[in-house]
Amino acid sequence: MASLVVGLMAAMVAGVAWGAVYVPPADALAALGRALHGGGGGLADTLIVQVRLPRVLLAALVGASLAGAGTLYQALFRNPLADPYILGVSSGAGLGAMIALTATAGATAMRFGVVPLAAFAGALLTMMLVVRLASLGGRLEATSLLLAGVALSYTLAAITSFVMVFAHQQMAAIVYWMMGGLGAASWEYIWMIAPMFVIGIIVPLLSTRELNLMLLGDERAGHLGLSVERFKLVILATASLLTAAAVAVSGLIGFVGLMTPHMVRLVLGPDHRRLLPASLLAGAIVLVLADLVARTILAPVEIPVGIVTAVLGGPFFIWLLIRGRRA
């Protein structure tokens, strides 16, 4: 765990230092020190404190949120392929957020309150619908769950495209947002999603024993004293809240919630007392580094970070499917 904390700090320093204009890490840290003491104000200080630092912090929050949601979905459904993107939850949150963005065009202050709520409503409703569709046969099977999630994700994407027709003046910005990006990062965005992240992660961190019980199956978990259905609802709500927090500020970023918990599980095992906090840290590292690649690989042109995660996550998803068949 300590190595992940060190890794996150190193990734954040790299994220603040590197960009279209390189700032040596020592100078970046000095700028942060001046800002903490109320000094600074030069061009380099403004670049570090007002542009790069909020972007790196936002990337860490979004990455941790997506990885946390993925860990919870995988524990709840006992399926390593479950993540907010594949289950369609990100698409639901995206549709809710986009409707709110369109409805509040020109009312920027209102957006900070309405967009996260709309994203959360979209995420929660989508997750409940996916579970309902996958349970029509009386059992919640992994294949049915994934198929329902993919089908609903495509349907929501079509509805999102339809809504975009009525927001033609903002279409370019919305399309870029849907590809997943952190180009609009600001301190306001951090303050907007920080409470959602804290609320969404406290309950699971206090429920790691119950998450471990869920790995034994609903029946055994119930025999061991867990109120299974109530616990599922709580975890679904918190995972949807984490997904909504990420989508509200960064659009649709796929595969972080899939890759990160799985990689951490391979190293640390399935015990959620270590898996959950380690996945949060690893998710933050993954997205900080992915965003660093997105804004430097073709600098000064910046590509959406969702493209970087998709390039990495697509082959990883195929590997998981092949590995599952062989097992």
Side-chain angles (χ1 to χ4, degrees):
M1 198 70 68
S3 59
L4 285 171
V5 173
V6 173
L8 177 58
M9 297 303 295
M12 293 178 72
V13 170
V16 171
W18 268 275
V21 177
Y22 173 68
V23 178
D27 293 349
L29 292 174
L32 295 178
R34 287 192 292 273
L36 288 174
H37 291 88
L43 184 60
D45 288 9
T46 302
L47 174 67
I48 296 298
V49 177
Q50 297 299 329
V51 179
R52 289 190 184 169
L53 181 59
R55 179 161 182 159
V56 167
L57 290 175
L58 193 68
L61 275 176
V62 170
S65 297
L66 292 173
T71 306
L72 297 178
Y73 286 135
Q74 289 172 16
L76 208 59
F77 300 123
R78 295 183 291 281
N79 188 332
L81 299 179
D83 94 321
Y85 194 78
I86 293 172
L87 292 176
V89 183
S90 291
S91 297
L95 177 59
M98 204 202 66
I99 292 174
L101 284 170
T102 305
T104 59
T108 306
M110 187 182 295
R111 286 186 174 184
F112 288 105
V114 174
V115 172
L117 289 176
F120 177 54
L124 191 58
L125 289 173
T126 302
M127 189 67 259
M128 293 173 69
L129 187 55
V130 167
V131 173
R132 182 73 175 172
L133 289 172
S135 307
L136 287 179
R139 296 179 57 188
L140 186 62
E141 295 182 353
T143 304
S144 300
L145 184 73
L146 294 177
L147 289 176
V150 171
L152 203 56
S153 181
Y154 277 113
T155 305
L156 292 170
I159 298 173
T160 301
S161 299
F162 179 74
V163 174
M164 284 170 57
V165 173
F166 298 96
H168 50 85
Q169 290 183 337
Q170 307 174 65
M171 187 171 291
I174 290 175
V175 168
Y176 196 81
W177 173 78
M178 288 179 63
M179 287 191 288
L182 295 160
S186 66
W187 287 106
E188 287 80 7
Y189 274 3
I190 293 174
W191 305 136
M192 183 174 79
I193 71 164
M196 298 173 71
F197 175 76
V198 171
I199 295 171
I201 207 60
I202 281 181
V203 174
L205 284 175
L206 295 175
S207 307
T208 51
R209 175 184 170 275
E210 288 79 2
L211 287 169
N212 285 341
L213 289 179
M214 290 300 298
L215 299 180
L216 303 174
D218 292 1
E219 188 173 350
R220 289 194 65 185
H223 289 161
L224 291 172
L226 179 65
S227 178
V228 174
E229 296 306 318
R230 181 184 301 176
F231 184 69
K232 282 183 176 179
L233 289 176
V234 171
I235 295 302
L236 283 178
T238 54
S240 299
L241 185 63
L242 291 172
T243 304
V247 172
V249 295
S250 64
L252 305 183
I253 297 176
F255 297 110
V256 176
L258 171 70
M259 292 186 297
T260 310
H262 204 77
M263 289 188 295
V264 175
R265 191 179 294 109
L266 288 175
V267 177
L268 297 180
D271 189 340
H272 286 86
R273 289 174 296 181
R274 293 188 298 172
L275 175 62
L276 183 56
S279 294
L280 296 175
L281 292 168
I285 295 172
V286 166
L287 202 60
V288 169
L289 294 179
D291 183 56
L292 179 59
V293 171
R295 57 191 167 87
T296 56
I297 193 169
L298 296 176
V301 177
E302 181 179 315
I303 60 175
V305 68
I307 294 177
V308 177
T309 60
V311 168
L312 297 173
F316 187 80
F317 184 70
I318 294 171
W319 174 76
L320 276 182
L321 287 174
I322 295 174
R323 184 172 178 268
R325 282 181 178 273
R326 288 177 177 172

mmCIF file with all atom_site columns, all heavy atoms in Angstrom, residues 247-272:
data_model
loop_
_atom_site.group_PDB
_atom_site.id
_atom_site.type_symbol
_atom_site.label_atom_id
_atom_site.label_alt_id
_atom_site.label_comp_id
_atom_site.label_asym_id
_atom_site.label_entity_id
_atom_site.label_seq_id
_atom_site.pdbx_PDB_ins_code
_atom_site.Cartn_x
_atom_site.Cartn_y
_atom_site.Cartn_z
_atom_site.occupancy
_atom_site.B_iso_or_equiv
_atom_site.pdbx_formal_charge
_atom_site.auth_seq_id
_atom_site.auth_comp_id
_atom_site.auth_asym_id
_atom_site.auth_atom_id
_atom_site.pdbx_PDB_model_num
ATOM 1   N N   . VAL A 1 247 ? -18.255 10.920  -14.238 1.00 0.00 ? 247 VAL A N   1
ATOM 2   C CA  . VAL A 1 247 ? -18.820 11.292  -15.542 1.00 0.00 ? 247 VAL A CA  1
ATOM 3   C C   . VAL A 1 247 ? -19.187 12.778  -15.589 1.00 0.00 ? 247 VAL A C   1
ATOM 4   O O   . VAL A 1 247 ? -19.033 13.438  -16.619 1.00 0.00 ? 247 VAL A O   1
ATOM 5   C CB  . VAL A 1 247 ? -20.047 10.412  -15.853 1.00 0.00 ? 247 VAL A CB  1
ATOM 6   C CG1 . VAL A 1 247 ? -20.772 10.908  -17.102 1.00 0.00 ? 247 VAL A CG1 1
ATOM 7   C CG2 . VAL A 1 247 ? -19.618 8.964   -16.049 1.00 0.00 ? 247 VAL A CG2 1
ATOM 8   N N   . ALA A 1 248 ? -19.648 13.325  -14.478 1.00 0.00 ? 248 ALA A N   1
ATOM 9   C CA  . ALA A 1 248 ? -20.109 14.714  -14.463 1.00 0.00 ? 248 ALA A CA  1
ATOM 10  C C   . ALA A 1 248 ? -19.008 15.701  -14.845 1.00 0.00 ? 248 ALA A C   1
ATOM 11  O O   . ALA A 1 248 ? -19.285 16.762  -15.394 1.00 0.00 ? 248 ALA A O   1
ATOM 12  C CB  . ALA A 1 248 ? -20.662 15.062  -13.083 1.00 0.00 ? 248 ALA A CB  1
ATOM 13  N N   . VAL A 1 249 ? -17.751 15.354  -14.568 1.00 0.00 ? 249 VAL A N   1
ATOM 14  C CA  . VAL A 1 249 ? -16.657 16.296  -14.845 1.00 0.00 ? 249 VAL A CA  1
ATOM 15  C C   . VAL A 1 249 ? -15.738 15.865  -15.975 1.00 0.00 ? 249 VAL A C   1
ATOM 16  O O   . VAL A 1 249 ? -14.945 16.669  -16.455 1.00 0.00 ? 249 VAL A O   1
ATOM 17  C CB  . VAL A 1 249 ? -15.800 16.534  -13.578 1.00 0.00 ? 249 VAL A CB  1
ATOM 18  C CG1 . VAL A 1 249 ? -16.612 17.213  -12.502 1.00 0.00 ? 249 VAL A CG1 1
ATOM 19  C CG2 . VAL A 1 249 ? -15.193 15.232  -13.078 1.00 0.00 ? 249 VAL A CG2 1
ATOM 20  N N   . SER A 1 250 ? -15.835 14.595  -16.393 1.00 0.00 ? 250 SER A N   1
ATOM 21  C CA  . SER A 1 250 ? -14.859 14.126  -17.379 1.00 0.00 ? 250 SER A CA  1
ATOM 22  C C   . SER A 1 250 ? -15.478 13.391  -18.554 1.00 0.00 ? 250 SER A C   1
ATOM 23  O O   . SER A 1 250 ? -14.737 12.928  -19.427 1.00 0.00 ? 250 SER A O   1
ATOM 24  C CB  . SER A 1 250 ? -13.835 13.201  -16.694 1.00 0.00 ? 250 SER A CB  1
ATOM 25  O OG  . SER A 1 250 ? -14.471 12.045  -16.199 1.00 0.00 ? 250 SER A OG  1
ATOM 26  N N   . GLY A 1 251 ? -16.790 13.252  -18.603 1.00 0.00 ? 251 GLY A N   1
ATOM 27  C CA  . GLY A 1 251 ? -17.401 12.506  -19.697 1.00 0.00 ? 251 GLY A CA  1
ATOM 28  C C   . GLY A 1 251 ? -17.201 11.012  -19.527 1.00 0.00 ? 251 GLY A C   1
ATOM 29  O O   . GLY A 1 251 ? -17.033 10.515  -18.414 1.00 0.00 ? 251 GLY A O   1
ATOM 30  N N   . LEU A 1 252 ? -17.219 10.300  -20.656 1.00 0.00 ? 252 LEU A N   1
ATOM 31  C CA  . LEU A 1 252 ? -17.162 8.839   -20.614 1.00 0.00 ? 252 LEU A CA  1
ATOM 32  C C   . LEU A 1 252 ? -15.728 8.350   -20.770 1.00 0.00 ? 252 LEU A C   1
ATOM 33  O O   . LEU A 1 252 ? -15.151 8.452   -21.852 1.00 0.00 ? 252 LEU A O   1
ATOM 34  C CB  . LEU A 1 252 ? -18.044 8.252   -21.726 1.00 0.00 ? 252 LEU A CB  1
ATOM 35  C CG  . LEU A 1 252 ? -19.493 8.722   -21.732 1.00 0.00 ? 252 LEU A CG  1
ATOM 36  C CD1 . LEU A 1 252 ? -20.275 8.006   -22.825 1.00 0.00 ? 252 LEU A CD1 1
ATOM 37  C CD2 . LEU A 1 252 ? -20.155 8.502   -20.383 1.00 0.00 ? 252 LEU A CD2 1
ATOM 38  N N   . ILE A 1 253 ? -15.162 7.856   -19.688 1.00 0.00 ? 253 ILE A N   1
ATOM 39  C CA  . ILE A 1 253 ? -13.815 7.289   -19.689 1.00 0.00 ? 253 ILE A CA  1
ATOM 40  C C   . ILE A 1 253 ? -13.950 5.817   -19.346 1.00 0.00 ? 253 ILE A C   1
ATOM 41  O O   . ILE A 1 253 ? -14.335 5.464   -18.230 1.00 0.00 ? 253 ILE A O   1
ATOM 42  C CB  . ILE A 1 253 ? -12.904 7.999   -18.676 1.00 0.00 ? 253 ILE A CB  1
ATOM 43  C CG1 . ILE A 1 253 ? -12.736 9.474   -19.058 1.00 0.00 ? 253 ILE A CG1 1
ATOM 44  C CG2 . ILE A 1 253 ? -11.545 7.328   -18.607 1.00 0.00 ? 253 ILE A CG2 1
ATOM 45  C CD1 . ILE A 1 253 ? -11.929 10.278  -18.074 1.00 0.00 ? 253 ILE A CD1 1
ATOM 46  N N   . GLY A 1 254 ? -13.645 4.972   -20.305 1.00 0.00 ? 254 GLY A N   1
ATOM 47  C CA  . GLY A 1 254 ? -13.877 3.548   -20.111 1.00 0.00 ? 254 GLY A CA  1
ATOM 48  C C   . GLY A 1 254 ? -12.664 2.797   -19.616 1.00 0.00 ? 254 GLY A C   1
ATOM 49  O O   . GLY A 1 254 ? -11.529 3.275   -19.677 1.00 0.00 ? 254 GLY A O   1
ATOM 50  N N   . PHE A 1 255 ? -12.949 1.606   -19.099 1.00 0.00 ? 255 PHE A N   1
ATOM 51  C CA  . PHE A 1 255 ? -11.977 0.561   -18.786 1.00 0.00 ? 255 PHE A CA  1
ATOM 52  C C   . PHE A 1 255 ? -11.124 0.799   -17.542 1.00 0.00 ? 255 PHE A C   1
ATOM 53  O O   . PHE A 1 255 ? -10.467 -0.127  -17.098 1.00 0.00 ? 255 PHE A O   1
ATOM 54  C CB  . PHE A 1 255 ? -11.053 0.301   -19.988 1.00 0.00 ? 255 PHE A CB  1
ATOM 55  C CG  . PHE A 1 255 ? -11.797 -0.209  -21.194 1.00 0.00 ? 255 PHE A CG  1
ATOM 56  C CD1 . PHE A 1 255 ? -11.950 0.571   -22.320 1.00 0.00 ? 255 PHE A CD1 1
ATOM 57  C CD2 . PHE A 1 255 ? -12.366 -1.476  -21.182 1.00 0.00 ? 255 PHE A CD2 1
ATOM 58  C CE1 . PHE A 1 255 ? -12.647 0.110   -23.418 1.00 0.00 ? 255 PHE A CE1 1
ATOM 59  C CE2 . PHE A 1 255 ? -13.076 -1.948  -22.280 1.00 0.00 ? 255 PHE A CE2 1
ATOM 60  C CZ  . PHE A 1 255 ? -13.202 -1.154  -23.402 1.00 0.00 ? 255 PHE A CZ  1
ATOM 61  N N   . VAL A 1 256 ? -11.093 2.017   -16.985 1.00 0.00 ? 256 VAL A N   1
ATOM 62  C CA  . VAL A 1 256 ? -10.325 2.197   -15.733 1.00 0.00 ? 256 VAL A CA  1
ATOM 63  C C   . VAL A 1 256 ? -10.958 1.357   -14.624 1.00 0.00 ? 256 VAL A C   1
ATOM 64  O O   . VAL A 1 256 ? -10.266 0.711   -13.834 1.00 0.00 ? 256 VAL A O   1
ATOM 65  C CB  . VAL A 1 256 ? -10.292 3.684   -15.328 1.00 0.00 ? 256 VAL A CB  1
ATOM 66  C CG1 . VAL A 1 256 ? -9.590  3.864   -13.992 1.00 0.00 ? 256 VAL A CG1 1
ATOM 67  C CG2 . VAL A 1 256 ? -9.582  4.505   -16.395 1.00 0.00 ? 256 VAL A CG2 1
ATOM 68  N N   . GLY A 1 257 ? -12.289 1.352   -14.585 1.00 0.00 ? 257 GLY A N   1
ATOM 69  C CA  . GLY A 1 257 ? -12.985 0.554   -13.569 1.00 0.00 ? 257 GLY A CA  1
ATOM 70  C C   . GLY A 1 257 ? -12.879 -0.932  -13.808 1.00 0.00 ? 257 GLY A C   1
ATOM 71  O O   . GLY A 1 257 ? -13.141 -1.731  -12.907 1.00 0.00 ? 257 GLY A O   1
ATOM 72  N N   . LEU A 1 258 ? -12.503 -1.337  -15.006 1.00 0.00 ? 258 LEU A N   1
ATOM 73  C CA  . LEU A 1 258 ? -12.332 -2.758  -15.319 1.00 0.00 ? 258 LEU A CA  1
ATOM 74  C C   . LEU A 1 258 ? -10.907 -3.206  -15.046 1.00 0.00 ? 258 LEU A C   1
ATOM 75  O O   . LEU A 1 258 ? -10.666 -4.204  -14.361 1.00 0.00 ? 258 LEU A O   1
ATOM 76  C CB  . LEU A 1 258 ? -12.687 -3.008  -16.787 1.00 0.00 ? 258 LEU A CB  1
ATOM 77  C CG  . LEU A 1 258 ? -12.360 -4.400  -17.339 1.00 0.00 ? 258 LEU A CG  1
ATOM 78  C CD1 . LEU A 1 258 ? -13.281 -5.442  -16.717 1.00 0.00 ? 258 LEU A CD1 1
ATOM 79  C CD2 . LEU A 1 258 ? -12.472 -4.418  -18.855 1.00 0.00 ? 258 LEU A CD2 1
ATOM 80  N N   . MET A 1 259 ? -9.951  -2.458  -15.598 1.00 0.00 ? 259 MET A N   1
ATOM 81  C CA  . MET A 1 259 ? -8.549  -2.883  -15.530 1.00 0.00 ? 259 MET A CA  1
ATOM 82  C C   . MET A 1 259 ? -7.985  -2.812  -14.120 1.00 0.00 ? 259 MET A C   1
ATOM 83  O O   . MET A 1 259 ? -7.340  -3.749  -13.647 1.00 0.00 ? 259 MET A O   1
ATOM 84  C CB  . MET A 1 259 ? -7.691  -1.988  -16.441 1.00 0.00 ? 259 MET A CB  1
ATOM 85  C CG  . MET A 1 259 ? -7.935  -2.136  -17.916 1.00 0.00 ? 259 MET A CG  1
ATOM 86  S SD  . MET A 1 259 ? -6.736  -1.165  -18.871 1.00 0.00 ? 259 MET A SD  1
ATOM 87  C CE  . MET A 1 259 ? -7.117  0.497   -18.351 1.00 0.00 ? 259 MET A CE  1
ATOM 88  N N   . THR A 1 260 ? -8.224  -1.686  -13.467 1.00 0.00 ? 260 THR A N   1
ATOM 89  C CA  . THR A 1 260 ? -7.509  -1.426  -12.221 1.00 0.00 ? 260 THR A CA  1
ATOM 90  C C   . THR A 1 260 ? -7.812  -2.441  -11.120 1.00 0.00 ? 260 THR A C   1
ATOM 91  O O   . THR A 1 260 ? -6.876  -3.018  -10.539 1.00 0.00 ? 260 THR A O   1
ATOM 92  C CB  . THR A 1 260 ? -7.814  0.000   -11.732 1.00 0.00 ? 260 THR A CB  1
ATOM 93  O OG1 . THR A 1 260 ? -7.621  0.907   -12.799 1.00 0.00 ? 260 THR A OG1 1
ATOM 94  C CG2 . THR A 1 260 ? -6.910  0.374   -10.587 1.00 0.00 ? 260 THR A CG2 1
ATOM 95  N N   . PRO A 1 261 ? -9.097  -2.690  -10.780 1.00 0.00 ? 261 PRO A N   1
ATOM 96  C CA  . PRO A 1 261 ? -9.343  -3.673  -9.713  1.00 0.00 ? 261 PRO A CA  1
ATOM 97  C C   . PRO A 1 261 ? -8.795  -5.048  -10.067 1.00 0.00 ? 261 PRO A C   1
ATOM 98  O O   . PRO A 1 261 ? -8.310  -5.766  -9.187  1.00 0.00 ? 261 PRO A O   1
ATOM 99  C CB  . PRO A 1 261 ? -10.878 -3.701  -9.607  1.00 0.00 ? 261 PRO A CB  1
ATOM 100 C CG  . PRO A 1 261 ? -11.346 -2.450  -10.238 1.00 0.00 ? 261 PRO A CG  1
ATOM 101 C CD  . PRO A 1 261 ? -10.349 -2.130  -11.304 1.00 0.00 ? 261 PRO A CD  1
ATOM 102 N N   . HIS A 1 262 ? -8.879  -5.399  -11.356 1.00 0.00 ? 262 HIS A N   1
ATOM 103 C CA  . HIS A 1 262 ? -8.404  -6.725  -11.742 1.00 0.00 ? 262 HIS A CA  1
ATOM 104 C C   . HIS A 1 262 ? -6.893  -6.851  -11.556 1.00 0.00 ? 262 HIS A C   1
ATOM 105 O O   . HIS A 1 262 ? -6.398  -7.865  -11.048 1.00 0.00 ? 262 HIS A O   1
ATOM 106 C CB  . HIS A 1 262 ? -8.793  -6.993  -13.190 1.00 0.00 ? 262 HIS A CB  1
ATOM 107 C CG  . HIS A 1 262 ? -8.891  -8.453  -13.507 1.00 0.00 ? 262 HIS A CG  1
ATOM 108 N ND1 . HIS A 1 262 ? -9.964  -9.233  -13.124 1.00 0.00 ? 262 HIS A ND1 1
ATOM 109 C CD2 . HIS A 1 262 ? -8.019  -9.274  -14.116 1.00 0.00 ? 262 HIS A CD2 1
ATOM 110 C CE1 . HIS A 1 262 ? -9.753  -10.477 -13.513 1.00 0.00 ? 262 HIS A CE1 1
ATOM 111 N NE2 . HIS A 1 262 ? -8.585  -10.535 -14.117 1.00 0.00 ? 262 HIS A NE2 1
ATOM 112 N N   . MET A 1 263 ? -6.145  -5.830  -11.964 1.00 0.00 ? 263 MET A N   1
ATOM 113 C CA  . MET A 1 263 ? -4.689  -5.865  -11.799 1.00 0.00 ? 263 MET A CA  1
ATOM 114 C C   . MET A 1 263 ? -4.314  -5.920  -10.316 1.00 0.00 ? 263 MET A C   1
ATOM 115 O O   . MET A 1 263 ? -3.428  -6.670  -9.914  1.00 0.00 ? 263 MET A O   1
ATOM 116 C CB  . MET A 1 263 ? -4.061  -4.632  -12.462 1.00 0.00 ? 263 MET A CB  1
ATOM 117 C CG  . MET A 1 263 ? -4.118  -4.663  -13.978 1.00 0.00 ? 263 MET A CG  1
ATOM 118 S SD  . MET A 1 263 ? -3.176  -3.324  -14.764 1.00 0.00 ? 263 MET A SD  1
ATOM 119 C CE  . MET A 1 263 ? -4.083  -1.895  -14.219 1.00 0.00 ? 263 MET A CE  1
ATOM 120 N N   . VAL A 1 264 ? -5.017  -5.126  -9.514  1.00 0.00 ? 264 VAL A N   1
ATOM 121 C CA  . VAL A 1 264 ? -4.716  -5.115  -8.076  1.00 0.00 ? 264 VAL A CA  1
ATOM 122 C C   . VAL A 1 264 ? -5.072  -6.454  -7.448  1.00 0.00 ? 264 VAL A C   1
ATOM 123 O O   . VAL A 1 264 ? -4.336  -6.979  -6.595  1.00 0.00 ? 264 VAL A O   1
ATOM 124 C CB  . VAL A 1 264 ? -5.490  -3.972  -7.384  1.00 0.00 ? 264 VAL A CB  1
ATOM 125 C CG1 . VAL A 1 264 ? -5.287  -4.025  -5.872  1.00 0.00 ? 264 VAL A CG1 1
ATOM 126 C CG2 . VAL A 1 264 ? -5.032  -2.631  -7.926  1.00 0.00 ? 264 VAL A CG2 1
ATOM 127 N N   . ARG A 1 265 ? -6.180  -7.045  -7.905  1.00 0.00 ? 265 ARG A N   1
ATOM 128 C CA  . ARG A 1 265 ? -6.597  -8.345  -7.353  1.00 0.00 ? 265 ARG A CA  1
ATOM 129 C C   . ARG A 1 265 ? -5.567  -9.433  -7.656  1.00 0.00 ? 265 ARG A C   1
ATOM 130 O O   . ARG A 1 265 ? -5.322  -10.328 -6.843  1.00 0.00 ? 265 ARG A O   1
ATOM 131 C CB  . ARG A 1 265 ? -7.962  -8.714  -7.919  1.00 0.00 ? 265 ARG A CB  1
ATOM 132 C CG  . ARG A 1 265 ? -8.614  -9.908  -7.206  1.00 0.00 ? 265 ARG A CG  1
ATOM 133 C CD  . ARG A 1 265 ? -9.973  -10.239 -7.781  1.00 0.00 ? 265 ARG A CD  1
ATOM 134 N NE  . ARG A 1 265 ? -10.941 -9.188  -7.542  1.00 0.00 ? 265 ARG A NE  1
ATOM 135 C CZ  . ARG A 1 265 ? -11.416 -8.377  -8.482  1.00 0.00 ? 265 ARG A CZ  1
ATOM 136 N NH1 . ARG A 1 265 ? -11.007 -8.503  -9.730  1.00 0.00 ? 265 ARG A NH1 1
ATOM 137 N NH2 . ARG A 1 265 ? -12.293 -7.458  -8.187  1.00 0.00 ? 265 ARG A NH2 1
ATOM 138 N N   . LEU A 1 266 ? -4.960  -9.361  -8.848  1.00 0.00 ? 266 LEU A N   1
ATOM 139 C CA  . LEU A 1 266 ? -3.948  -10.352 -9.205  1.00 0.00 ? 266 LEU A CA  1
ATOM 140 C C   . LEU A 1 266 ? -2.746  -10.284 -8.266  1.00 0.00 ? 266 LEU A C   1
ATOM 141 O O   . LEU A 1 266 ? -2.085  -11.288 -7.998  1.00 0.00 ? 266 LEU A O   1
ATOM 142 C CB  . LEU A 1 266 ? -3.475  -10.118 -10.655 1.00 0.00 ? 266 LEU A CB  1
ATOM 143 C CG  . LEU A 1 266 ? -4.466  -10.493 -11.759 1.00 0.00 ? 266 LEU A CG  1
ATOM 144 C CD1 . LEU A 1 266 ? -3.920  -10.097 -13.116 1.00 0.00 ? 266 LEU A CD1 1
ATOM 145 C CD2 . LEU A 1 266 ? -4.763  -11.989 -11.730 1.00 0.00 ? 266 LEU A CD2 1
ATOM 146 N N   . VAL A 1 267 ? -2.461  -9.089  -7.748  1.00 0.00 ? 267 VAL A N   1
ATOM 147 C CA  . VAL A 1 267 ? -1.292  -8.906  -6.882  1.00 0.00 ? 267 VAL A CA  1
ATOM 148 C C   . VAL A 1 267 ? -1.636  -9.128  -5.412  1.00 0.00 ? 267 VAL A C   1
ATOM 149 O O   . VAL A 1 267 ? -0.916  -9.827  -4.681  1.00 0.00 ? 267 VAL A O   1
ATOM 150 C CB  . VAL A 1 267 ? -0.702  -7.488  -7.069  1.00 0.00 ? 267 VAL A CB  1
ATOM 151 C CG1 . VAL A 1 267 ? 0.466   -7.259  -6.116  1.00 0.00 ? 267 VAL A CG1 1
ATOM 152 C CG2 . VAL A 1 267 ? -0.253  -7.291  -8.513  1.00 0.00 ? 267 VAL A CG2 1
ATOM 153 N N   . LEU A 1 268 ? -2.762  -8.559  -4.956  1.00 0.00 ? 268 LEU A N   1
ATOM 154 C CA  . LEU A 1 268 ? -3.080  -8.560  -3.527  1.00 0.00 ? 268 LEU A CA  1
ATOM 155 C C   . LEU A 1 268 ? -4.122  -9.587  -3.116  1.00 0.00 ? 268 LEU A C   1
ATOM 156 O O   . LEU A 1 268 ? -4.334  -9.812  -1.924  1.00 0.00 ? 268 LEU A O   1
ATOM 157 C CB  . LEU A 1 268 ? -3.576  -7.165  -3.112  1.00 0.00 ? 268 LEU A CB  1
ATOM 158 C CG  . LEU A 1 268 ? -2.569  -6.017  -3.259  1.00 0.00 ? 268 LEU A CG  1
ATOM 159 C CD1 . LEU A 1 268 ? -3.204  -4.705  -2.819  1.00 0.00 ? 268 LEU A CD1 1
ATOM 160 C CD2 . LEU A 1 268 ? -1.315  -6.294  -2.436  1.00 0.00 ? 268 LEU A CD2 1
ATOM 161 N N   . GLY A 1 269 ? -4.792  -10.191 -4.111  1.00 0.00 ? 269 GLY A N   1
ATOM 162 C CA  . GLY A 1 269 ? -5.841  -11.153 -3.757  1.00 0.00 ? 269 GLY A CA  1
ATOM 163 C C   . GLY A 1 269 ? -7.193  -10.482 -3.600  1.00 0.00 ? 269 GLY A C   1
ATOM 164 O O   . GLY A 1 269 ? -7.333  -9.267  -3.748  1.00 0.00 ? 269 GLY A O   1
ATOM 165 N N   . PRO A 1 270 ? -8.232  -11.275 -3.261  1.00 0.00 ? 270 PRO A N   1
ATOM 166 C CA  . PRO A 1 270 ? -9.609  -10.746 -3.280  1.00 0.00 ? 270 PRO A CA  1
ATOM 167 C C   . PRO A 1 270 ? -10.074 -10.092 -1.980  1.00 0.00 ? 270 PRO A C   1
ATOM 168 O O   . PRO A 1 270 ? -11.215 -9.642  -1.917  1.00 0.00 ? 270 PRO A O   1
ATOM 169 C CB  . PRO A 1 270 ? -10.429 -12.010 -3.563  1.00 0.00 ? 270 PRO A CB  1
ATOM 170 C CG  . PRO A 1 270 ? -9.643  -13.110 -2.922  1.00 0.00 ? 270 PRO A CG  1
ATOM 171 C CD  . PRO A 1 270 ? -8.196  -12.727 -3.049  1.00 0.00 ? 270 PRO A CD  1
ATOM 172 N N   . ASP A 1 271 ? -9.242  -10.055 -0.939  1.00 0.00 ? 271 ASP A N   1
ATOM 173 C CA  . ASP A 1 271 ? -9.670  -9.479  0.339   1.00 0.00 ? 271 ASP A CA  1
ATOM 174 C C   . ASP A 1 271 ? -9.894  -7.968  0.189   1.00 0.00 ? 271 ASP A C   1
ATOM 175 O O   . ASP A 1 271 ? -8.947  -7.219  -0.070  1.00 0.00 ? 271 ASP A O   1
ATOM 176 C CB  . ASP A 1 271 ? -8.608  -9.745  1.403   1.00 0.00 ? 271 ASP A CB  1
ATOM 177 C CG  . ASP A 1 271 ? -9.092  -9.353  2.796   1.00 0.00 ? 271 ASP A CG  1
ATOM 178 O OD1 . ASP A 1 271 ? -10.044 -8.556  2.908   1.00 0.00 ? 271 ASP A OD1 1
ATOM 179 O OD2 . ASP A 1 271 ? -8.497  -9.850  3.770   1.00 0.00 ? 271 ASP A OD2 1
ATOM 180 N N   . HIS A 1 272 ? -11.145 -7.541  0.366   1.00 0.00 ? 272 HIS A N   1
ATOM 181 C CA  . HIS A 1 272 ? -11.469 -6.131  0.127   1.00 0.00 ? 272 HIS A CA  1
ATOM 182 C C   . HIS A 1 272 ? -10.874 -5.176  1.155   1.00 0.00 ? 272 HIS A C   1
ATOM 183 O O   . HIS A 1 272 ? -10.883 -3.965  0.940   1.00 0.00 ? 272 HIS A O   1
ATOM 184 C CB  . HIS A 1 272 ? -12.987 -5.956  0.057   1.00 0.00 ? 272 HIS A CB  1
ATOM 185 C CG  . HIS A 1 272 ? -13.568 -6.470  -1.227  1.00 0.00 ? 272 HIS A CG  1
ATOM 186 N ND1 . HIS A 1 272 ? -13.925 -7.781  -1.396  1.00 0.00 ? 272 HIS A ND1 1
ATOM 187 C CD2 . HIS A 1 272 ? -13.797 -5.848  -2.420  1.00 0.00 ? 272 HIS A CD2 1
ATOM 188 C CE1 . HIS A 1 272 ? -14.374 -7.953  -2.629  1.00 0.00 ? 272 HIS A CE1 1
ATOM 189 N NE2 . HIS A 1 272 ? -14.306 -6.811  -3.275  1.00 0.00 ? 272 HIS A NE2 1
#
